Amino acid sequence: MKVIVTKSYEESCRIAADMIRDEVAQNPATKLGLATGSTPIPVYYHLVEMFQKGEVDFSEVHTVNLDEYWGLSPDHPQSYHYFMQENLFSHINLNPQNTYVPKGTGDAAQNTAELTQKVYEGGVPSIQLLGIGANGHLGFNEAGPTLVANAHMQALTQSTIDANSRFFEAKDKVPTLAITMGMREILAAKTPLLIATGAAKAQAMHGLLVGDEITTQNPSTFLKLHTGTVVIIDEELAIMSGAK
Ligand code: PGA
């Protein structure tokens, strides 16, 4: 696991965008694993800017997203389909047929099987962009007594519902279920790339960066098992989490 400590969250996002640009330059038909949440938004902003300047071409790139709320249609403003359109897809030259966001409506078994297939078909993601939940979740693999290996339906924990309620009119509007890649699919990527910022992530990042423990109570700790993992953390959070 490689840990990059930056001066600021802005720098963290710039470095992540540069890594993605370099990967696409080397492998124009690469598959990228993408994430939603507030953390990666500046990464997408940088990628759009690079595209506009002609520094990166996404025409052959494939993408697969980590997760989607269950019960939200693609046009729901809080759906991750909508998020990806707004923050990335509609601004760059990805072929829509080469993008895949898990389906939040319809047949759950079919949708989870399709997500698994999209992770592996034609080769696994080169870079899997990741945020982290306050409880250490990756995608919607929530902290708890067990984790699930493959794509599945996941009940959200109260801490995740509380954290995500900021995006909804009211707490009771936050979906309680999500479809998510499992830990196996996340760890299939050649480079799981985690960006973390903010005091709310200090405890989870302590578990990931300090010591050697792996626990389902902090799913991010499983990233320790992958030699390709890259963690980008700003100095402020590195200090708060005891990693620096
Ligand atoms: P955030 O969410 O980037 O909005 O903090 C990350 C996550 O819950 O995985």
Side-chain angles (χ1 to χ4, degrees):
M1 190 166 79
K2 180 176 166 191
V3 182
I4 302 171
V5 180
T6 64
K7 289 277 172 234
S8 66
Y9 166 54
E10 287 70 26
E11 187 187 354
S12 299
C13 292
R14 166 62 68 180
I15 290 171
D18 287 351
M19 285 176 65
I20 292 170
R21 178 201 56 204
D22 293 350
E23 167 59 28
V24 174
Q26 275 170 24
N27 301 298
T30 196
K31 187 191 289 179
L32 301 172
L34 301 178
T36 54
S38 51
T39 305
I41 290 175
V43 178
Y44 297 142
Y45 174 82
H46 288 310
L47 291 174
V48 170
E49 201 175 58
M50 289 166 178
F51 170 71
Q52 286 166 348
K53 289 183 181 162
E55 294 171 6
V56 60
D57 174 11
F58 294 97
S59 59
E60 291 177 61
V61 170
H62 286 65
T63 68
V64 58
N65 264 75
L66 281 171
D67 50 14
E68 176 61 287
Y69 286 118
W70 190 251
L72 299 193
S73 61
D75 58 355
H76 188 289
Q78 294 310 330
S79 75
Y80 291 163
H81 280 79
Y82 193 92
F83 175 103
M84 291 310 302
Q85 285 300 329
E86 286 289 296
N87 289 291
L88 187 66
F89 295 166
S90 66
H91 306 289
I92 62 176
N93 67 336
L94 271 168
N95 178 345
Q97 286 179 342
N98 294 344
T99 68
Y100 184 79
V101 180
K103 291 180 183 148
T105 56
D107 182 325
Q110 199 176 317
N111 295 357
T112 49
E114 192 173 80
L115 173 54
T116 300
Q117 185 197 335
K118 293 290 177 182
V119 171
Y120 293 102
E121 79 180 3
V124 294
S126 50
I127 293 174
Q128 173 64 61
L129 198 53
L130 296 166
I132 183 171
N135 63 3
H137 75 200
L138 300 179
F140 276 121
N141 292 276
E142 295 283 42
T146 59
L147 286 168
V148 179
N150 292 299
H152 60 284
M153 294 292 290
Q154 174 85 46
L156 306 192
T157 61
Q158 195 57 45
S159 85
T160 297
I161 291 171
D162 292 347
N164 291 6
S165 66
R166 69 191 194 277
F167 300 115
F168 290 82
E169 294 157 37
K171 209 168 269 188
D172 65 1
K173 296 273 195 286
V174 185
T176 55
L177 286 174
I179 176 169
T180 182
M181 284 187 201
M183 297 302 291
R184 176 169 167 260
E185 284 130 349
I186 290 173
L187 293 171
K190 294 187 187 112
T191 305
L193 174 60
L194 177 78
I195 308 173
T197 190
K201 313 294 172 69
Q203 198 184 343
M205 291 305 286
H206 178 84
L208 174 58
L209 298 178
V210 182
D212 218 16
E213 187 180 90
I214 294 162
T215 170
T216 60
Q217 298 297 343
N218 179 349
S220 76
T221 58
F222 281 73
L223 292 170
K224 296 178 195 187
L225 296 175
H226 194 312
T227 51
T229 295
V230 175
V231 177
I232 310 182
I233 182 172
D234 49 79
E235 201 169 28
E236 197 183 344
L237 178 56
I239 291 167
M240 277 189 286
S241 59
K244 193 177 171 187

